[in-house]
Amino acid sequence: MTICTTCLNDIRPSQHDCPGLQYADIVFTRHRGQGVTIDQAPPRARIAVHVLTDRNAYLHMQGADRIVFADQVIYRITGYTDGQLELELAEDWRPARRVQKPLTDEEAADLKARWKERYGGRAVFPVNALGGPEKPTWRSWHGSS
């Protein structure tokens, strides 16, 4: 199987419509007191050259052709067009996202059975019913004044 070097898709013996290089934005989130996290790191991106001089851009140069964004992803500079650097993702140091799949019916039944076995169908912590048969009032919660 042959792969197109431009779009990285399989080239079939029939016709190959190459869409050309696809660029997307690098998306990051700034967290108060914790720094920046890279939310989306596309395989190819473009950035304006003046971003390299911005102190608040959370990037630094690692050699002549590599840019590190927020100490999480490294892009290699592959070209320059109309005042923008063309980048290609070289390394991604972000932790893998963990996605919890929904429980199957068997897993849910097993979890319920273990809960009942361990706690006997009662609550783990004592439960105090509020208000009893009558509705609680503001004074009953905050004392009578």
Side-chain angles (χ1 to χ4, degrees):
M1 191 177 321
T2 309
I3 296 178
C4 175
T5 58
T6 304
C7 65
L8 302 177
N9 290 325
D10 297 335
I11 298 176
R12 294 179 180 80
S14 63
Q15 187 177 3
H16 174 67
D17 275 339
C18 183
L21 294 176
Q22 301 294 315
Y23 294 95
D25 292 333
I26 301 168
V27 179
F28 65 91
T29 302
R30 185 184 321 220
H31 303 278
R32 177 177 245 158
Q34 295 180 355
V36 172
T37 57
I38 304 293
D39 299 325
Q40 295 176 13
R44 291 184 178 87
R46 287 185 179 144
I47 63 166
V49 174
H50 69 81
V51 173
L52 296 175
T53 62
D54 186 359
R55 287 189 303 173
N56 299 319
Y58 301 103
L59 59 89
H60 68 274
M61 296 293 295
Q62 184 187 48
D65 67 340
R66 295 192 179 253
I67 302 174
V68 180
F69 288 86
D71 293 329
Q72 296 173 30
V73 293
I74 297 178
Y75 277 88
R76 186 172 55 86
I77 300 171
T78 58
Y80 176 81
T81 305
D82 299 327
Q84 294 183 333
L85 295 173
E86 296 175 353
L87 307 175
E88 184 176 72
L89 185 62
E91 295 180 39
D92 190 346
W93 299 337
R94 297 175 296 162
R97 288 188 147 180
R98 289 187 243 163
V99 177
Q100 183 176 352
K101 298 182 292 185
L103 293 176
T104 63
D105 293 336
E106 294 82 24
E107 291 171 331
D110 181 51
L111 185 64
K112 287 179 185 177
R114 284 188 288 140
W115 178 272
K116 285 184 179 179
E117 180 182 308
R118 184 170 184 177
Y119 299 109
R122 58 182 168 78
V124 178
F125 300 103
V127 176
N128 299 324
L130 293 175
E134 58 188 51
K135 292 184 179 179
T137 62
W138 184 85
R139 287 184 183 213
S140 66
W141 286 342
H142 298 288
S144 55
S145 306

